[in-house]
Amino acid sequence: MAQINRHDNRLGLWGWLGGGRWGIERYAYILHRLTGLGVLFYFLMHIVVTSLRAFGVYLWIEGGVFHQPIFRVGEFLVYAAFAYHAFNGIRLVLVELGFAVGAPIEPVYPYKTSLDVQRPLLIVMMILAAIFLAVGGYEAIGLAR
Amino acid sequence: MADSNKTVRDVKFHVTRYNPETDAAPYVKTYTVPVREGMTVLDGLHYIKENLDGSLAWRFSCRMGICGSCGMLLNGRPTLACNTQILHIAETQLTVGPLPNFDIIRDLVPDLMSMFEKHRSLKPYVVRADEAEVNDPAGEFYQTPEQLEAYLQFTYCIKCGCCMAACPTLATDARYLGPMPLSAAQRYNQDTRDDGRPQRNQVTGSAHGAFRCHYAGECSRACPKGVDPAKAIQHLKRRLVLDYLRLARRKKACQKLHGPGQGQPPGNIPAAPPKTVTPSA
């Protein structure tokens, strides 16, 4: 039998952005991944920076590199990523354990999905993340001093 | 009454074309279609084939959202061409492409085999310990309306592949089982006639199984039948966790009636109301 050529149409990373209707849960999904990668990058850098101590390099002391304004902003972004990732993660744990998605229903047009059912949970978690960010971020950008 | 044959406006169809014998990669070709009130995208494609370009290929059958053959990417959204009216989604421009996350066989025809192979791996049928009863049934199985409702929503899947095309996780992980097979697994896991959940758990609980889903929800938005695969997957995960922790309630598959009228019905079924019409002699 003759071999039939096929074109690979898998979206790859573009698929995180394309091929859908862009509901709020999709923004939450992408932001969750980006903040996860951001926090991971911070942890790796943290290990590198603290290990420099073995060579007598102290970047975090008063007047050191990490007291430059850009690093204060970076610190705030890490904190913001942590706040979002943590509260959205709690939502995902609850949803993935079957809470807040509702029981199966008879699909009647216009269809109501589990996304509508869990949306209040998403909103509550985002409000909590915003409060957490406002309180902690106030400290992180140095306004509390 | 409006004249249904009157052209409302011309719409440019930007259609993805690909011939595996002559093209190295897909390209977009534009056709102008005179659109009437109530005309679906599938009607528009038929117009192109009959009047503009007979070489255009796509897959369709029932024309009424039942068979699941005509899943396509319309203006960037996976949906059924037969179920979508042109004037509802396009002013003057409409992009029509094959479902992503599947190989393209030709033009708008995706290769859905990867989806069906994953579907098959999850044993999408009633599995029972008493196999002889399935092969040679001697009676019916009890099932209450509540037990039916626990999985009925997930039976409406028509395997069109729109959820698979919309899934962002599947876009970067080709081995992920995807929304359609996983919701089919949940459909049979929830069926009280079924004994096959432990076997399915081996696949749904694997590294590329249900826990790769992170609830972007695109499958449920894309589904043209309201199946809500995202809900099915979350319930599936819950049951996987309970099974892993051995916290799931042990439940035997429902028993069968041994022949018509010979079984013992459950005691909570109310008696039928008295007859209101007496048949004439």
PDB file of all heavy atoms in Angstrom, chain A residues 26-59:
ATOM      1  N   ARG A  26      -8.892  29.901  30.742  1.00  0.00           N
ATOM      2  CA  ARG A  26      -7.712  29.715  29.892  1.00  0.00           C
ATOM      3  C   ARG A  26      -6.618  30.732  30.247  1.00  0.00           C
ATOM      4  O   ARG A  26      -5.442  30.393  30.266  1.00  0.00           O
ATOM      5  CB  ARG A  26      -8.103  29.871  28.429  1.00  0.00           C
ATOM      6  CG  ARG A  26      -6.927  29.676  27.512  1.00  0.00           C
ATOM      7  CD  ARG A  26      -7.349  28.959  26.293  1.00  0.00           C
ATOM      8  NE  ARG A  26      -6.250  28.571  25.461  1.00  0.00           N
ATOM      9  CZ  ARG A  26      -6.414  28.000  24.291  1.00  0.00           C
ATOM     10  NH1 ARG A  26      -7.625  27.754  23.856  1.00  0.00           N
ATOM     11  NH2 ARG A  26      -5.393  27.641  23.566  1.00  0.00           N
ATOM     12  N   TYR A  27      -7.033  31.956  30.527  1.00  0.00           N
ATOM     13  CA  TYR A  27      -6.052  32.938  31.010  1.00  0.00           C
ATOM     14  C   TYR A  27      -5.426  32.433  32.315  1.00  0.00           C
ATOM     15  O   TYR A  27      -4.221  32.554  32.534  1.00  0.00           O
ATOM     16  CB  TYR A  27      -6.729  34.289  31.255  1.00  0.00           C
ATOM     17  CG  TYR A  27      -7.126  35.021  29.990  1.00  0.00           C
ATOM     18  CD1 TYR A  27      -8.436  35.027  29.537  1.00  0.00           C
ATOM     19  CD2 TYR A  27      -6.177  35.709  29.235  1.00  0.00           C
ATOM     20  CE1 TYR A  27      -8.798  35.685  28.377  1.00  0.00           C
ATOM     21  CE2 TYR A  27      -6.530  36.381  28.078  1.00  0.00           C
ATOM     22  CZ  TYR A  27      -7.837  36.369  27.649  1.00  0.00           C
ATOM     23  OH  TYR A  27      -8.187  37.013  26.510  1.00  0.00           O
ATOM     24  N   ALA A  28      -6.289  31.892  33.197  1.00  0.00           N
ATOM     25  CA  ALA A  28      -5.791  31.386  34.480  1.00  0.00           C
ATOM     26  C   ALA A  28      -4.800  30.244  34.243  1.00  0.00           C
ATOM     27  O   ALA A  28      -3.766  30.153  34.923  1.00  0.00           O
ATOM     28  CB  ALA A  28      -6.968  30.908  35.332  1.00  0.00           C
ATOM     29  N   TYR A  29      -5.094  29.389  33.269  1.00  0.00           N
ATOM     30  CA  TYR A  29      -4.227  28.237  32.949  1.00  0.00           C
ATOM     31  C   TYR A  29      -2.853  28.707  32.491  1.00  0.00           C
ATOM     32  O   TYR A  29      -1.813  28.234  32.967  1.00  0.00           O
ATOM     33  CB  TYR A  29      -4.929  27.435  31.857  1.00  0.00           C
ATOM     34  CG  TYR A  29      -4.120  26.361  31.159  1.00  0.00           C
ATOM     35  CD1 TYR A  29      -4.140  25.051  31.630  1.00  0.00           C
ATOM     36  CD2 TYR A  29      -3.385  26.639  30.013  1.00  0.00           C
ATOM     37  CE1 TYR A  29      -3.431  24.057  30.975  1.00  0.00           C
ATOM     38  CE2 TYR A  29      -2.676  25.658  29.358  1.00  0.00           C
ATOM     39  CZ  TYR A  29      -2.699  24.367  29.844  1.00  0.00           C
ATOM     40  OH  TYR A  29      -1.998  23.385  29.186  1.00  0.00           O
ATOM     41  N   ILE A  30      -2.840  29.677  31.591  1.00  0.00           N
ATOM     42  CA  ILE A  30      -1.566  30.153  31.039  1.00  0.00           C
ATOM     43  C   ILE A  30      -0.779  30.926  32.100  1.00  0.00           C
ATOM     44  O   ILE A  30       0.427  30.730  32.266  1.00  0.00           O
ATOM     45  CB  ILE A  30      -1.823  31.003  29.780  1.00  0.00           C
ATOM     46  CG1 ILE A  30      -2.293  30.090  28.664  1.00  0.00           C
ATOM     47  CG2 ILE A  30      -0.575  31.764  29.369  1.00  0.00           C
ATOM     48  CD1 ILE A  30      -2.835  30.792  27.477  1.00  0.00           C
ATOM     49  N   LEU A  31      -1.493  31.766  32.855  1.00  0.00           N
ATOM     50  CA  LEU A  31      -0.808  32.524  33.902  1.00  0.00           C
ATOM     51  C   LEU A  31      -0.253  31.585  34.969  1.00  0.00           C
ATOM     52  O   LEU A  31       0.831  31.817  35.518  1.00  0.00           O
ATOM     53  CB  LEU A  31      -1.793  33.528  34.518  1.00  0.00           C
ATOM     54  CG  LEU A  31      -1.189  34.726  35.245  1.00  0.00           C
ATOM     55  CD1 LEU A  31      -0.199  35.468  34.365  1.00  0.00           C
ATOM     56  CD2 LEU A  31      -2.294  35.675  35.690  1.00  0.00           C
ATOM     57  N   HIS A  32      -0.967  30.508  35.241  1.00  0.00           N
ATOM     58  CA  HIS A  32      -0.495  29.539  36.222  1.00  0.00           C
ATOM     59  C   HIS A  32       0.817  28.909  35.763  1.00  0.00           C
ATOM     60  O   HIS A  32       1.751  28.732  36.552  1.00  0.00           O
ATOM     61  CB  HIS A  32      -1.560  28.453  36.424  1.00  0.00           C
ATOM     62  CG  HIS A  32      -1.356  27.633  37.656  1.00  0.00           C
ATOM     63  ND1 HIS A  32      -1.684  28.077  38.905  1.00  0.00           N
ATOM     64  CD2 HIS A  32      -0.836  26.387  37.827  1.00  0.00           C
ATOM     65  CE1 HIS A  32      -1.384  27.145  39.807  1.00  0.00           C
ATOM     66  NE2 HIS A  32      -0.860  26.105  39.171  1.00  0.00           N
ATOM     67  N   ARG A  33       0.884  28.589  34.473  1.00  0.00           N
ATOM     68  CA  ARG A  33       2.120  27.994  33.940  1.00  0.00           C
ATOM     69  C   ARG A  33       3.262  28.999  33.959  1.00  0.00           C
ATOM     70  O   ARG A  33       4.384  28.667  34.338  1.00  0.00           O
ATOM     71  CB  ARG A  33       1.878  27.493  32.515  1.00  0.00           C
ATOM     72  CG  ARG A  33       0.906  26.336  32.477  1.00  0.00           C
ATOM     73  CD  ARG A  33       1.061  25.484  31.263  1.00  0.00           C
ATOM     74  NE  ARG A  33       0.745  24.095  31.633  1.00  0.00           N
ATOM     75  CZ  ARG A  33       0.842  23.073  30.812  1.00  0.00           C
ATOM     76  NH1 ARG A  33       1.270  23.263  29.590  1.00  0.00           N
ATOM     77  NH2 ARG A  33       0.549  21.863  31.213  1.00  0.00           N
ATOM     78  N   LEU A  34       2.981  30.225  33.538  1.00  0.00           N
ATOM     79  CA  LEU A  34       4.038  31.237  33.483  1.00  0.00           C
ATOM     80  C   LEU A  34       4.552  31.575  34.886  1.00  0.00           C
ATOM     81  O   LEU A  34       5.763  31.697  35.102  1.00  0.00           O
ATOM     82  CB  LEU A  34       3.523  32.506  32.782  1.00  0.00           C
ATOM     83  CG  LEU A  34       3.223  32.354  31.285  1.00  0.00           C
ATOM     84  CD1 LEU A  34       2.676  33.664  30.722  1.00  0.00           C
ATOM     85  CD2 LEU A  34       4.463  31.930  30.513  1.00  0.00           C
ATOM     86  N   THR A  35       3.623  31.728  35.833  1.00  0.00           N
ATOM     87  CA  THR A  35       4.069  32.043  37.199  1.00  0.00           C
ATOM     88  C   THR A  35       4.819  30.859  37.798  1.00  0.00           C
ATOM     89  O   THR A  35       5.782  31.051  38.557  1.00  0.00           O
ATOM     90  CB  THR A  35       2.875  32.424  38.099  1.00  0.00           C
ATOM     91  OG1 THR A  35       1.881  31.387  38.016  1.00  0.00           O
ATOM     92  CG2 THR A  35       2.268  33.746  37.695  1.00  0.00           C
ATOM     93  N   GLY A  36       4.403  29.639  37.450  1.00  0.00           N
ATOM     94  CA  GLY A  36       5.124  28.458  37.932  1.00  0.00           C
ATOM     95  C   GLY A  36       6.555  28.450  37.423  1.00  0.00           C
ATOM     96  O   GLY A  36       7.508  28.201  38.184  1.00  0.00           O
ATOM     97  N   LEU A  37       6.721  28.748  36.136  1.00  0.00           N
ATOM     98  CA  LEU A  37       8.069  28.799  35.553  1.00  0.00           C
ATOM     99  C   LEU A  37       8.871  29.938  36.173  1.00  0.00           C
ATOM    100  O   LEU A  37      10.072  29.799  36.430  1.00  0.00           O
ATOM    101  CB  LEU A  37       7.976  28.981  34.035  1.00  0.00           C
ATOM    102  CG  LEU A  37       7.453  27.771  33.256  1.00  0.00           C
ATOM    103  CD1 LEU A  37       7.209  28.140  31.792  1.00  0.00           C
ATOM    104  CD2 LEU A  37       8.438  26.619  33.341  1.00  0.00           C
ATOM    105  N   GLY A  38       8.197  31.069  36.429  1.00  0.00           N
ATOM    106  CA  GLY A  38       8.873  32.228  37.024  1.00  0.00           C
ATOM    107  C   GLY A  38       9.379  31.920  38.423  1.00  0.00           C
ATOM    108  O   GLY A  38      10.535  32.223  38.768  1.00  0.00           O
ATOM    109  N   VAL A  39       8.529  31.293  39.238  1.00  0.00           N
ATOM    110  CA  VAL A  39       8.928  30.956  40.610  1.00  0.00           C
ATOM    111  C   VAL A  39      10.047  29.912  40.590  1.00  0.00           C
ATOM    112  O   VAL A  39      11.001  29.979  41.373  1.00  0.00           O
ATOM    113  CB  VAL A  39       7.697  30.460  41.410  1.00  0.00           C
ATOM    114  CG1 VAL A  39       8.122  29.882  42.754  1.00  0.00           C
ATOM    115  CG2 VAL A  39       6.715  31.603  41.621  1.00  0.00           C
ATOM    116  N   LEU A  40       9.952  28.965  39.651  1.00  0.00           N
ATOM    117  CA  LEU A  40      11.015  27.956  39.516  1.00  0.00           C
ATOM    118  C   LEU A  40      12.346  28.628  39.158  1.00  0.00           C
ATOM    119  O   LEU A  40      13.399  28.309  39.736  1.00  0.00           O
ATOM    120  CB  LEU A  40      10.627  26.944  38.432  1.00  0.00           C
ATOM    121  CG  LEU A  40      11.669  25.866  38.128  1.00  0.00           C
ATOM    122  CD1 LEU A  40      11.871  24.961  39.337  1.00  0.00           C
ATOM    123  CD2 LEU A  40      11.245  25.028  36.916  1.00  0.00           C
ATOM    124  N   PHE A  41      12.295  29.576  38.231  1.00  0.00           N
ATOM    125  CA  PHE A  41      13.506  30.304  37.828  1.00  0.00           C
ATOM    126  C   PHE A  41      14.086  31.046  39.027  1.00  0.00           C
ATOM    127  O   PHE A  41      15.306  31.055  39.245  1.00  0.00           O
ATOM    128  CB  PHE A  41      13.165  31.281  36.693  1.00  0.00           C
ATOM    129  CG  PHE A  41      14.334  32.100  36.237  1.00  0.00           C
ATOM    130  CD1 PHE A  41      15.350  31.518  35.495  1.00  0.00           C
ATOM    131  CD2 PHE A  41      14.433  33.447  36.561  1.00  0.00           C
ATOM    132  CE1 PHE A  41      16.440  32.270  35.077  1.00  0.00           C
ATOM    133  CE2 PHE A  41      15.515  34.208  36.161  1.00  0.00           C
ATOM    134  CZ  PHE A  41      16.522  33.610  35.411  1.00  0.00           C
ATOM    135  N   TYR A  42      13.200  31.640  39.833  1.00  0.00           N
ATOM    136  CA  TYR A  42      13.655  32.364  41.020  1.00  0.00           C
ATOM    137  C   TYR A  42      14.369  31.407  41.989  1.00  0.00           C
ATOM    138  O   TYR A  42      15.436  31.724  42.521  1.00  0.00           O
ATOM    139  CB  TYR A  42      12.466  33.032  41.720  1.00  0.00           C
ATOM    140  CG  TYR A  42      12.844  33.609  43.063  1.00  0.00           C
ATOM    141  CD1 TYR A  42      13.524  34.817  43.148  1.00  0.00           C
ATOM    142  CD2 TYR A  42      12.551  32.920  44.233  1.00  0.00           C
ATOM    143  CE1 TYR A  42      13.900  35.342  44.380  1.00  0.00           C
ATOM    144  CE2 TYR A  42      12.921  33.426  45.467  1.00  0.00           C
ATOM    145  CZ  TYR A  42      13.592  34.637  45.535  1.00  0.00           C
ATOM    146  OH  TYR A  42      13.968  35.136  46.747  1.00  0.00           O
ATOM    147  N   PHE A  43      13.793  30.232  42.200  1.00  0.00           N
ATOM    148  CA  PHE A  43      14.410  29.264  43.116  1.00  0.00           C
ATOM    149  C   PHE A  43      15.803  28.872  42.628  1.00  0.00           C
ATOM    150  O   PHE A  43      16.750  28.774  43.413  1.00  0.00           O
ATOM    151  CB  PHE A  43      13.528  28.022  43.262  1.00  0.00           C
ATOM    152  CG  PHE A  43      12.367  28.207  44.192  1.00  0.00           C
ATOM    153  CD1 PHE A  43      11.134  27.659  43.895  1.00  0.00           C
ATOM    154  CD2 PHE A  43      12.512  28.933  45.362  1.00  0.00           C
ATOM    155  CE1 PHE A  43      10.051  27.831  44.750  1.00  0.00           C
ATOM    156  CE2 PHE A  43      11.437  29.118  46.225  1.00  0.00           C
ATOM    157  CZ  PHE A  43      10.211  28.562  45.920  1.00  0.00           C
ATOM    158  N   LEU A  44      15.932  28.651  41.332  1.00  0.00           N
ATOM    159  CA  LEU A  44      17.234  28.260  40.777  1.00  0.00           C
ATOM    160  C   LEU A  44      18.259  29.385  40.977  1.00  0.00           C
ATOM    161  O   LEU A  44      19.401  29.139  41.386  1.00  0.00           O
ATOM    162  CB  LEU A  44      17.091  27.914  39.288  1.00  0.00           C
ATOM    163  CG  LEU A  44      16.239  26.670  38.991  1.00  0.00           C
ATOM    164  CD1 LEU A  44      16.067  26.490  37.480  1.00  0.00           C
ATOM    165  CD2 LEU A  44      16.863  25.425  39.595  1.00  0.00           C
ATOM    166  N   MET A  45      17.809  30.623  40.693  1.00  0.00           N
ATOM    167  CA  MET A  45      18.707  31.763  40.876  1.00  0.00           C
ATOM    168  C   MET A  45      19.074  31.938  42.356  1.00  0.00           C
ATOM    169  O   MET A  45      20.200  32.294  42.699  1.00  0.00           O
ATOM    170  CB  MET A  45      18.048  33.050  40.343  1.00  0.00           C
ATOM    171  CG  MET A  45      17.886  33.088  38.842  1.00  0.00           C
ATOM    172  SD  MET A  45      19.433  32.805  37.964  1.00  0.00           S
ATOM    173  CE  MET A  45      20.373  34.234  38.457  1.00  0.00           C
ATOM    174  N   HIS A  46      18.090  31.664  43.199  1.00  0.00           N
ATOM    175  CA  HIS A  46      18.300  31.775  44.640  1.00  0.00           C
ATOM    176  C   HIS A  46      19.426  30.828  45.087  1.00  0.00           C
ATOM    177  O   HIS A  46      20.307  31.204  45.879  1.00  0.00           O
ATOM    178  CB  HIS A  46      16.992  31.430  45.348  1.00  0.00           C
ATOM    179  CG  HIS A  46      17.032  31.556  46.827  1.00  0.00           C
ATOM    180  ND1 HIS A  46      17.172  32.762  47.471  1.00  0.00           N
ATOM    181  CD2 HIS A  46      16.953  30.622  47.813  1.00  0.00           C
ATOM    182  CE1 HIS A  46      17.186  32.567  48.777  1.00  0.00           C
ATOM    183  NE2 HIS A  46      17.062  31.280  49.011  1.00  0.00           N
ATOM    184  N   ILE A  47      19.416  29.612  44.551  1.00  0.00           N
ATOM    185  CA  ILE A  47      20.449  28.629  44.908  1.00  0.00           C
ATOM    186  C   ILE A  47      21.815  29.120  44.414  1.00  0.00           C
ATOM    187  O   ILE A  47      22.815  29.053  45.133  1.00  0.00           O
ATOM    188  CB  ILE A  47      20.096  27.255  44.292  1.00  0.00           C
ATOM    189  CG1 ILE A  47      18.867  26.690  44.998  1.00  0.00           C
ATOM    190  CG2 ILE A  47      21.269  26.302  44.401  1.00  0.00           C
ATOM    191  CD1 ILE A  47      18.250  25.510  44.296  1.00  0.00           C
ATOM    192  N   VAL A  48      21.847  29.649  43.204  1.00  0.00           N
ATOM    193  CA  VAL A  48      23.107  30.137  42.636  1.00  0.00           C
ATOM    194  C   VAL A  48      23.654  31.282  43.488  1.00  0.00           C
ATOM    195  O   VAL A  48      24.830  31.299  43.877  1.00  0.00           O
ATOM    196  CB  VAL A  48      22.896  30.599  41.176  1.00  0.00           C
ATOM    197  CG1 VAL A  48      24.139  31.320  40.656  1.00  0.00           C
ATOM    198  CG2 VAL A  48      22.562  29.412  40.290  1.00  0.00           C
ATOM    199  N   VAL A  49      22.771  32.238  43.811  1.00  0.00           N
ATOM    200  CA  VAL A  49      23.212  33.446  44.515  1.00  0.00           C
ATOM    201  C   VAL A  49      23.706  33.113  45.918  1.00  0.00           C
ATOM    202  O   VAL A  49      24.769  33.577  46.360  1.00  0.00           O
ATOM    203  CB  VAL A  49      22.059  34.481  44.556  1.00  0.00           C
ATOM    204  CG1 VAL A  49      22.386  35.604  45.534  1.00  0.00           C
ATOM    205  CG2 VAL A  49      21.808  35.027  43.170  1.00  0.00           C
ATOM    206  N   THR A  50      22.936  32.279  46.629  1.00  0.00           N
ATOM    207  CA  THR A  50      23.365  31.945  48.002  1.00  0.00           C
ATOM    208  C   THR A  50      24.618  31.073  48.002  1.00  0.00           C
ATOM    209  O   THR A  50      25.431  31.151  48.932  1.00  0.00           O
ATOM    210  CB  THR A  50      22.230  31.233  48.766  1.00  0.00           C
ATOM    211  OG1 THR A  50      21.743  30.164  47.952  1.00  0.00           O
ATOM    212  CG2 THR A  50      21.098  32.184  49.072  1.00  0.00           C
ATOM    213  N   SER A  51      24.800  30.271  46.949  1.00  0.00           N
ATOM    214  CA  SER A  51      26.002  29.425  46.894  1.00  0.00           C
ATOM    215  C   SER A  51      27.260  30.262  46.639  1.00  0.00           C
ATOM    216  O   SER A  51      28.371  29.811  46.924  1.00  0.00           O
ATOM    217  CB  SER A  51      25.854  28.351  45.814  1.00  0.00           C
ATOM    218  OG  SER A  51      25.794  28.952  44.539  1.00  0.00           O
ATOM    219  N   LEU A  52      27.051  31.479  46.105  1.00  0.00           N
ATOM    220  CA  LEU A  52      28.210  32.354  45.874  1.00  0.00           C
ATOM    221  C   LEU A  52      28.885  32.742  47.204  1.00  0.00           C
ATOM    222  O   LEU A  52      30.034  33.177  47.222  1.00  0.00           O
ATOM    223  CB  LEU A  52      27.774  33.626  45.121  1.00  0.00           C
ATOM    224  CG  LEU A  52      27.418  33.431  43.650  1.00  0.00           C
ATOM    225  CD1 LEU A  52      26.912  34.739  43.060  1.00  0.00           C
ATOM    226  CD2 LEU A  52      28.603  32.916  42.853  1.00  0.00           C
ATOM    227  N   ARG A  53      28.128  32.569  48.276  1.00  0.00           N
ATOM    228  CA  ARG A  53      28.685  32.868  49.589  1.00  0.00           C
ATOM    229  C   ARG A  53      29.957  32.047  49.849  1.00  0.00           C
ATOM    230  O   ARG A  53      30.882  32.497  50.542  1.00  0.00           O
ATOM    231  CB  ARG A  53      27.620  32.549  50.639  1.00  0.00           C
ATOM    232  CG  ARG A  53      28.000  32.913  52.034  1.00  0.00           C
ATOM    233  CD  ARG A  53      26.893  32.507  52.981  1.00  0.00           C
ATOM    234  NE  ARG A  53      27.262  32.843  54.360  1.00  0.00           N
ATOM    235  CZ  ARG A  53      26.553  32.510  55.398  1.00  0.00           C
ATOM    236  NH1 ARG A  53      25.422  31.851  55.236  1.00  0.00           N
ATOM    237  NH2 ARG A  53      26.939  32.830  56.604  1.00  0.00           N
ATOM    238  N   ALA A  54      29.975  30.841  49.296  1.00  0.00           N
ATOM    239  CA  ALA A  54      31.150  29.976  49.467  1.00  0.00           C
ATOM    240  C   ALA A  54      32.403  30.624  48.895  1.00  0.00           C
ATOM    241  O   ALA A  54      33.528  30.286  49.283  1.00  0.00           O
ATOM    242  CB  ALA A  54      30.899  28.629  48.810  1.00  0.00           C
ATOM    243  N   PHE A  55      32.194  31.527  47.936  1.00  0.00           N
ATOM    244  CA  PHE A  55      33.341  32.208  47.304  1.00  0.00           C
ATOM    245  C   PHE A  55      33.520  33.620  47.863  1.00  0.00           C
ATOM    246  O   PHE A  55      34.242  34.430  47.288  1.00  0.00           O
ATOM    247  CB  PHE A  55      33.129  32.285  45.790  1.00  0.00           C
ATOM    248  CG  PHE A  55      32.930  30.936  45.158  1.00  0.00           C
ATOM    249  CD1 PHE A  55      31.667  30.489  44.836  1.00  0.00           C
ATOM    250  CD2 PHE A  55      34.019  30.099  44.917  1.00  0.00           C
ATOM    251  CE1 PHE A  55      31.464  29.245  44.286  1.00  0.00           C
ATOM    252  CE2 PHE A  55      33.823  28.845  44.360  1.00  0.00           C
ATOM    253  CZ  PHE A  55      32.552  28.410  44.038  1.00  0.00           C
ATOM    254  N   GLY A  56      32.800  33.913  48.963  1.00  0.00           N
ATOM    255  CA  GLY A  56      32.960  35.224  49.590  1.00  0.00           C
ATOM    256  C   GLY A  56      32.202  36.341  48.915  1.00  0.00           C
ATOM    257  O   GLY A  56      32.486  37.517  49.139  1.00  0.00           O
ATOM    258  N   VAL A  57      31.230  35.999  48.078  1.00  0.00           N
ATOM    259  CA  VAL A  57      30.447  37.029  47.381  1.00  0.00           C
ATOM    260  C   VAL A  57      29.104  37.165  48.079  1.00  0.00           C
ATOM    261  O   VAL A  57      28.329  36.199  48.143  1.00  0.00           O
ATOM    262  CB  VAL A  57      30.240  36.659  45.896  1.00  0.00           C
ATOM    263  CG1 VAL A  57      29.418  37.735  45.196  1.00  0.00           C
ATOM    264  CG2 VAL A  57      31.578  36.470  45.210  1.00  0.00           C
ATOM    265  N   TYR A  58      28.832  38.342  48.616  1.00  0.00           N
ATOM    266  CA  TYR A  58      27.572  38.591  49.312  1.00  0.00           C
ATOM    267  C   TYR A  58      26.808  39.655  48.535  1.00  0.00           C
ATOM    268  O   TYR A  58      27.111  40.839  48.644  1.00  0.00           O
ATOM    269  CB  TYR A  58      27.832  39.056  50.749  1.00  0.00           C
ATOM    270  CG  TYR A  58      28.479  37.997  51.610  1.00  0.00           C
ATOM    271  CD1 TYR A  58      29.856  37.821  51.582  1.00  0.00           C
ATOM    272  CD2 TYR A  58      27.708  37.182  52.421  1.00  0.00           C
ATOM    273  CE1 TYR A  58      30.453  36.838  52.364  1.00  0.00           C
ATOM    274  CE2 TYR A  58      28.296  36.208  53.208  1.00  0.00           C
ATOM    275  CZ  TYR A  58      29.671  36.040  53.167  1.00  0.00           C
ATOM    276  OH  TYR A  58      30.259  35.074  53.929  1.00  0.00           O
ATOM    277  N   LEU A  59      25.833  39.217  47.725  1.00  0.00           N
ATOM    278  CA  LEU A  59      25.126  40.164  46.860  1.00  0.00           C
ATOM    279  C   LEU A  59      23.953  40.834  47.563  1.00  0.00           C
ATOM    280  O   LEU A  59      23.407  41.798  47.057  1.00  0.00           O
ATOM    281  CB  LEU A  59      24.607  39.443  45.602  1.00  0.00           C
ATOM    282  CG  LEU A  59      25.687  38.861  44.675  1.00  0.00           C
ATOM    283  CD1 LEU A  59      25.039  38.067  43.563  1.00  0.00           C
ATOM    284  CD2 LEU A  59      26.556  39.967  44.097  1.00  0.00           C
TER     285      LEU A  59
END
